Amino acid sequence: KAGVTQTPRYLIKTRGQQVTLSCSPISGHRSVSWYQQTPGQGLQFLFEYFSETQRNKGNFPGRFSGRQFSNSRSEMNVSTLELGDSALYLCASSRDGSNYGYTFGSGTRLTVV
Amino acid sequence: AQTVTQSQPEMSVQEAETVTLSCTYDTSESNYYLFWYKQPPSRQMILVIRQEAYKQQNATENRFSVNFQKAAKSFSLKISDSQLGDTAMYFCAFMNLQGAQKLVFGQGTRLTINP
């Protein structure tokens, strides 16, 4: 059974640009969550999508957005990139977003220069 | 808001030894889950073990077990017969069952198993 697939694995962008990251969950999983991991702030929750609807949102500015498609694949977008957006972005999927824990992908390493 | 604290930034043990990683958390909720995740250099977060707060019995998964002390809000991970492949960052995480179902992570413990 395929795991959670995140593309691309690495990305370098310039300040002010925008970026779109993709996440394909495990087949049958309808919940997709996104996390940002940085050395200073650790792992922080961005948002969660379930059946194409944003169900939960973390404390990030509006430059961070996402969406989920009917096949449960999810994208997150960051507009007007800042140096501080450099991070590992992890996607996690679960069957219904609750108690069995999440299966994570290997992340997208975003570097903003 | 919930917080998770891992007080040991780094730990190092010899192969085959037993090691315990500490985690404390703060919450006013009564229904929640606790997790330990492992993040090797491959970056993927791998679920090691989970514990439901309503269960008094400590969870075990092969060489991994937890000591869950609900009153003390403590959730430590014990790794028995440690192996080189256990070398990784270990994160303790909390998830409330009410409200926003998101994982709140601790800062992590870097565990090195030496041959």
Side-chain angles (χ1 to χ4, degrees):
Chain A
K1 165 167 147 175
V4 178
T5 303
Q6 290 190 247
T7 57
R9 277 186 60 87
Y10 300 91
L11 206 47
I12 300 175
K13 289 287 188 179
T14 305
R15 268 183 302 176
Q17 287 187 315
Q18 75 165 14
V19 66
T20 300
L21 312 181
S22 178
C23 172
S24 294
I26 289 174
S27 178
H29 284 193
R30 294 194 295 164
S31 168
V32 174
S33 299
W34 290 88
Y35 290 81
Q36 181 196 63
Q37 185 176 19
T38 60
Q41 298 298 317
L43 284 145
Q44 294 186 286
F45 172 76
L46 281 155
F47 27 64
E48 183 219 1
Y49 286 86
F50 184 82
S51 294
E52 301 180 66
T53 301
Q54 186 182 86
R55 196 160 63 169
N56 296 299
K57 189 177 190 305
N59 193 24
F60 277 81
R63 300 185 298 106
F64 291 81
S65 63
R67 59 178 175 169
Q68 187 180 33
F69 302 94
S70 58
N71 62 357
S72 293
R73 189 178 73 85
S74 177
E75 290 181 346
M76 69 163 279
N77 184 77
V78 187
S79 62
T80 320
L81 284 165
E82 301 176 359
L83 295 179
D85 297 333
S86 294
L88 179 66
Y89 290 88
L90 291 164
C91 164
S93 76
S94 75
R95 196 167 294 279
D96 61 3
S98 64
N99 53 8
Y100 280 89
Y102 293 84
T103 301
F104 282 81
S106 295
T108 294
R109 171 78 67 189
L110 171 65
T111 302
V112 182
V113 297
Chain B
Q2 291 83 19
T3 58
V4 178
T5 302
Q6 294 178 247
S7 59
Q8 305 149 312
E10 293 190 33
M11 295 189 73
S12 178
V13 298
Q14 296 299 120
E15 192 176 8
E17 289 183 344
T18 294
V19 59
T20 299
L21 309 183
S22 301
C23 172
T24 58
Y25 59 96
D26 187 25
T27 184
S28 57
E29 304 294 335
S30 57
N31 294 321
Y32 52 87
Y33 286 88
L34 293 162
F35 305 88
W36 278 97
Y37 279 91
K38 165 185 176 181
Q39 188 178 40
S42 66
R43 308 182 326 200
Q44 183 179 13
M45 299 282 281
I46 300 166
L47 178 64
V48 174
I49 199 165
R50 75 179 188 117
Q51 173 80 44
E52 296 93 328
Y54 65 86
K55 287 188 178 178
Q56 291 186 329
Q57 187 173 8
N58 289 323
T60 62
E61 285 288 341
N62 301 312
R63 298 183 294 108
F64 299 88
S65 61
V66 298
N67 183 3
F68 174 48
Q69 302 289 326
K70 191 172 184 179
K73 295 180 183 174
S74 170
F75 183 62
S76 61
L77 173 70
K78 186 171 84 170
I79 305 174
S80 303
D81 187 27
S82 57
Q83 301 174 358
L84 297 179
D86 296 333
T87 294
M89 282 290 291
Y90 285 81
F91 292 94
C92 178
F94 170 100
M95 185 168 74
N96 190 15
L97 291 183
Q98 306 297 325
Q101 291 184 343
K102 63 178 183 180
L103 288 164
V104 177
F105 287 91
Q107 288 296 101
T109 296
R110 183 176 301 279
L111 175 65
T112 302
I113 309 299
N114 299 305

